Amino acid sequence: MERETSMRRLESRPLTAGSVAWDAWRATRGGATAIATRQQERLQALVEYARRASPFYAEHYSAVASGPIRLEELPQLPAVTKPELMARFDDWVTDPAITRARVEEFVANLDNLGRDFLSRYVVFTTSGSTGVPALLVQDHRAVAVMTGLAYVRSLSALTPKLVAQMLTRAPRVAAVFAQGGHFLSTTMFERRLRTAPFRRRISRFFSVLDPLPVLVDQLNAFRPAMLGTYASALAALTEEQEAGRLRISPLVITSGGELLTPATQQRAEAAFGCLVTQSYAASEAMPLALPCRQGRLHINSDWFLTEPIDGGGQPVAPGSRSEALLVTNLANYVQPVIRYQLGDSVVVSMEPCQCGSPLRTISVEGRTDEILRVRSSGGGETVLLPMAIATVVEETPGVRRYQVVQTASDALTVRLENNPQTDPNEVWQRVREGMSDFLRTHDAAGVALHLAPEPPQVNPGSGKLRHVLKMLPTSLNDHSRQTHQ
């Protein structure tokens, strides 16, 4: 009864994307003091609510003195991990109408993609860099924050001339991301189309699972003014643009979901002749950081608190590289994320940015999976995008963690860790069938698939898992680099 009363009281104070955008603009104009004031008020309200409405947090904070919490006291709250929260899912959420069984049933049906769960929540699924699957529920407050911040702060990266060009040109938007699950980008894109069907004329979603030549033909036909995709897909599309097979002239390209290296960004800008930016986000905290006109990522710290930590969970000094990152999402009340550990290695800077924003900047070492180039059935070469491979394997029932390793031009080895109480042989058969279909679609039916005797191997320092990588003979690696420079 107390949880239901808390939910009703919360829903009586709704946020809108417009009010969030206005407040975010005011917060930036108000400087560090305005940011800190909002952080303090929002942190105190969130922690109080989590203690009252989430049985998990009530228990988790039982040894911490109750009462108002100050920003400097945040480290006193014990951190949380994805496996820990998922094991207590029904106690983690603050709405008793939400259960893990009901959410799993909802996401199992892809017809629900873009629909709100229980007509009031947005659900994402993700495996994350640790490979542990998660079900993430966002209330409409969190979605309003997500949308409002993206609207107002994404403009910081654009010049007035570029904004004018975007307003005068047909606003075709192309999203090239993974399909086949309730992923963040897919879900939000489909949700926008469901709420405003007229956008279907100017917004298209293209699957990164499609063969690269098919994707190139689709983009050539659509001619987007704005393009959003993964960094690895952008690298492949850049080569197609340089070769003249892809012929599009976007005004802006945005990259997310993977690490965008400076070299890839500069090469794409030269090939497409446009601005290329990146954002930093997690399904648990979206958008965590957005770029400014100087090209630096600024943390949206009025809504997300970040704590870089070392391998032992201790804070690292500003300017030093972390092994992980603790994130607190001040917007989401239905599934509170407080001092939640992300596996990303980051550097948070205290140095002011030339753009003048009071928001701190962050450099991110994100997902670093590799583009694989395998022998095609005709004897040539086929490009396999890592997010496409990842989607095929991680959406296979029974897979808990995985790693796909290219060991030769015509061989892939799969390292698997299964969910408990599943038959390892059945899981491998499903993975092999899915990957075989994927390879046939990409004209690479001759590539052999092997099951490794060892489980997926993580980085011993950070605990991060690279899902797709190459372990080729040195001579083959050198040839590949020379051929595709």
Side-chain angles (χ1 to χ4, degrees):
M1 179 62 71
E2 183 178 358
R3 294 171 74 188
E4 293 173 350
T5 302
S6 296
M7 286 301 300
R8 287 196 294 270
R9 189 180 301 120
L10 180 65
E11 289 168 356
S12 68
R13 304 191 302 272
L15 289 176
T16 66
S19 66
V20 169
W22 171 243
D23 180 77
W25 181 83
R26 292 175 59 233
T28 305
R29 298 273 293 183
T33 301
I35 299 294
T37 298
R38 286 162 171 78
Q39 290 176 329
Q40 178 62 69
E41 292 175 352
R42 290 165 182 167
L43 175 63
Q44 181 173 324
L46 175 65
V47 172
E48 288 179 356
Y49 187 84
R51 285 184 120 155
R52 183 172 65 250
S54 166
F56 169 82
Y57 279 106
E59 177 184 321
H60 200 57
Y61 295 159
S62 59
V64 181
S66 59
I69 181 170
R70 296 190 298 272
L71 277 173
E72 59 269 23
E73 297 171 333
L74 179 61
Q76 296 179 12
L77 300 178
V80 296
T81 64
K82 184 191 301 182
E84 180 181 24
L85 292 173
M86 285 302 298
R88 298 281 305 277
F89 185 91
D90 292 1
D91 291 333
W92 173 19
V93 294
T94 61
D95 185 347
I98 301 173
T99 65
R100 180 168 182 168
R102 295 183 72 178
V103 176
E104 287 178 339
E105 181 182 6
F106 178 84
V107 299
N109 185 355
L110 290 182
D111 290 340
N112 288 327
L113 193 62
R115 292 193 175 102
D116 283 2
F117 174 63
L118 300 180
S119 301
R120 59 184 183 272
Y121 300 120
V122 178
V123 175
F124 306 133
T125 59
T126 178
S127 67
S129 59
T130 63
V132 178
L135 298 169
L136 301 165
V137 185
Q138 304 271 357
D139 55 28
H140 284 174
R141 286 173 51 88
V143 173
V145 170
M146 195 184 304
T147 307
L149 290 177
Y151 281 157
V152 71
R153 289 188 175 148
S154 293
L155 294 175
S156 300
L158 309 181
T159 64
K161 179 181 178 180
L162 185 54
V163 172
Q165 288 177 314
M166 294 173 67
L167 291 174
T168 56
R169 182 170 162 183
R172 295 189 184 91
V173 179
V176 181
F177 293 104
Q179 287 183 321
H182 291 252
F183 313 124
L184 188 153
S185 55
T186 315
T187 296
M188 292 306 295
F189 194 91
E190 289 297 326
R191 188 173 185 269
R192 284 193 291 270
L193 294 183
R194 284 184 183 274
T195 56
F198 70 88
R199 288 177 173 153
R200 294 185 184 277
R201 298 194 303 270
I202 58 173
S203 300
R204 297 280 178 83
F205 196 102
F206 301 97
S207 176
V208 76
L209 277 72
D210 285 338
L212 189 58
V214 172
L215 193 55
V216 167
D217 289 343
Q218 292 171 336
L219 291 172
N220 282 336
F222 185 58
R223 296 179 291 112
M226 288 168 279
L227 171 66
T229 190
Y230 306 115
S232 58
L234 176 59
L237 292 174
T238 297
E239 290 189 8
E240 295 299 298
Q241 184 84 359
E242 290 171 338
R245 292 181 290 270
L246 181 62
R247 299 175 298 279
I248 60 175
S249 302
L251 296 171
V252 179
I253 296 175
T254 60
S255 172
E258 296 175 315
L259 176 66
L260 178 66
T261 64
T264 299
Q265 182 176 9
Q266 293 165 10
R267 187 173 175 181
E269 287 179 334
F272 292 98
C274 72
L275 175 67
V276 176
T277 68
Q278 66 174 319
S279 62
Y280 176 40
S283 299
E284 300 86 352
M286 164 72 182
L288 193 50
L290 292 168
C292 70
R293 205 172 299 171
Q294 300 295 322
R296 302 182 69 184
L297 285 169
H298 288 263
I299 305 169
N300 291 309
S301 50
D302 44 347
W303 284 104
F304 305 107
L305 305 181
T306 54
E307 302 171 76
I309 57 174
D310 61 20
Q314 298 303 307
V316 301
S320 300
R321 188 180 71 85
S322 76
E323 292 295 337
L325 181 69
L326 298 180
V327 173
T328 298
N329 183 339
L330 300 173
N332 191 1
Y333 276 60
V334 72
Q335 195 183 44
V337 171
I338 306 172
R339 306 199 77 218
Y340 177 97
Q341 184 169 321
L342 296 176
D344 293 332
S345 173
V346 304
V347 176
V348 175
S349 175
M350 295 291 288
E351 296 297 321
C353 179
Q354 293 181 355
C355 75
S357 172
L359 301 172
R360 294 182 182 179
T361 60
I362 187 170
S363 301
V364 186
E365 179 186 321
R367 190 168 182 165
T368 55
D369 295 336
E370 298 182 89
I371 295 175
L372 305 187
R373 302 177 187 279
V374 299
R375 187 178 301 163
S376 68
S377 301
E381 185 180 75
T382 293
V383 174
L384 303 179
L385 299 180
M387 288 302 292
I389 298 171
T391 302
V392 172
V393 181
E394 69 188 26
E395 290 302 302
T396 302
V399 172
R400 178 176 176 83
R401 298 199 305 170
Y402 68 93
Q403 201 165 41
V404 178
V405 183
Q406 182 182 5
T407 55
S409 62
D410 58 354
L412 301 177
T413 294
V414 183
R415 296 168 175 165
L416 283 178
E417 180 182 317
N418 308 314
N419 285 326
Q421 300 178 339
T422 58
D423 185 326
N425 291 326
E426 291 183 2
V427 174
W428 165 237
Q429 290 301 322
R430 286 195 288 263
V431 169
R432 186 165 62 180
E433 290 172 5
M435 281 296 295
S436 295
D437 289 343
F438 173 76
L439 291 170
R440 278 194 294 271
T441 301
H442 286 71
D443 192 31
V447 173
L449 294 168
H450 306 285
L451 176 64
E454 73 276 6
Q457 306 295 302
V458 300
N459 182 299
S462 67
K464 288 186 62 178
L465 174 67
R466 295 178 67 190
H467 293 90
V468 182
L469 66 155
K470 290 181 283 192
M471 295 180 65
L472 300 171
T474 303
S475 58
L476 188 56
N477 265 323
D478 291 343
H479 173 71
S480 178
R481 282 194 295 268
Q482 293 166 5
T483 304
H484 299 285
Q485 282 179 345

